[in-house]
Amino acid sequence: MSNLNITKSEEANPISKEIFEGMKKQMGMVPNVYAAIGNSGPALKATMAIQENLAKGEFDGKEQETIALSVAEANSCDYCLSAHTTVGKMKGLSEDQTIAIRDGSIADNKLKALSDLAKAITDTRGNPDQKLFDAFFNAGYNQAALSELIVLVALNTITNYTNHIAKTEIDFPVAPNLQEA
């Protein structure tokens, strides 16, 4: 049983309904995670505003998906692993790279530093080891990127927790299980 329902577009509050209509035009669907958050129009609007603003920030699409995959792996969120594997491939990551990000073996040093820090921020509740910050900055990231990383970890944690609580049905191709990959 879910404690948070998936909102149907026709039953949505006015704010969520408007956002859902935009998603349908842009993506052809309303992903179930947004339909769950959409129980509250202000919550959905805030979530979308964070995503839209940080899409113009320090991280490119591959880096944003690296963060999302790293946080989803740390939080064991199958829905977000599936969604961000799909979107990550659309942003230029290969299937093998999505798996390597998740298992910590990504060969790209910059993505590895980003992924390791994102996972550690999640795992330690914001208290990662200094060596991870050093690797992040040595990889070429700056203070603005660190600020955005913190917000992106929080945003992805929001969607991860939403999926856990809503028991969201995966509406993307299911990401490979690491033990089978």
Side-chain angles (χ1 to χ4, degrees):
M1 178 182 160
S2 168
N3 288 303
L4 186 63
N5 296 327
I6 302 300
T7 307
K8 293 181 169 71
S9 291
E10 61 275 5
E11 298 170 0
N13 61 72
I15 295 170
S16 293
K17 188 175 281 195
E18 182 179 336
I19 294 169
F20 289 168
E21 288 171 9
M23 285 180 183
K24 285 180 189 172
K25 286 178 186 170
Q26 185 179 33
M27 299 186 294
M29 67 182 281
V30 175
N32 284 336
V33 64
Y34 297 118
I37 296 169
N39 280 285
S40 165
L44 182 60
K45 190 173 184 176
T47 300
M48 300 310 297
I50 293 169
Q51 288 179 338
E52 290 167 13
N53 281 300
L54 291 182
K56 304 170 205 153
E58 294 291 316
F59 299 114
D60 65 23
K62 283 183 182 181
E63 291 166 320
Q64 287 186 5
E65 294 308 312
T66 295
I67 296 163
L69 285 164
S70 301
V71 174
E73 186 64 37
N75 284 324
S76 301
C77 182
D78 292 337
Y79 183 96
C80 286
L81 288 170
S82 297
H84 292 290
T85 294
T86 298
V87 175
K89 290 191 281 188
M90 292 167 51
K91 301 283 183 172
L93 294 170
S94 70
E95 177 93 9
D96 289 341
Q97 286 176 310
T98 66
I99 292 166
I101 288 164
R102 292 173 53 202
D103 72 13
S105 66
I106 187 75
D108 181 303
N109 288 334
K110 193 167 186 182
L111 292 181
K112 175 126 177 78
L114 178 60
S115 177
D116 288 349
L117 184 55
K119 284 179 187 172
I121 289 171
T122 305
D123 288 338
T124 66
R125 294 178 174 89
N127 293 292
D129 189 278
Q130 182 61 45
K131 68 180 180 180
L132 297 169
F133 290 108
D134 295 342
F136 178 81
F137 291 125
N138 288 336
Y141 293 110
N142 59 26
Q143 293 286 309
L146 181 56
S147 291
E148 290 178 22
L149 174 59
I150 295 164
V151 175
L152 285 166
V153 167
L155 175 63
N156 282 282
T157 299
I158 289 167
T159 59
N160 294 174
Y161 288 6
T162 297
N163 289 311
H164 292 311
I165 291 167
K167 296 182 181 8
T168 313
E169 181 180 331
I170 298 172
D171 49 1
F172 291 90
V174 176
N177 182 302
L178 285 185
Q179 285 73 29
E180 297 168 5

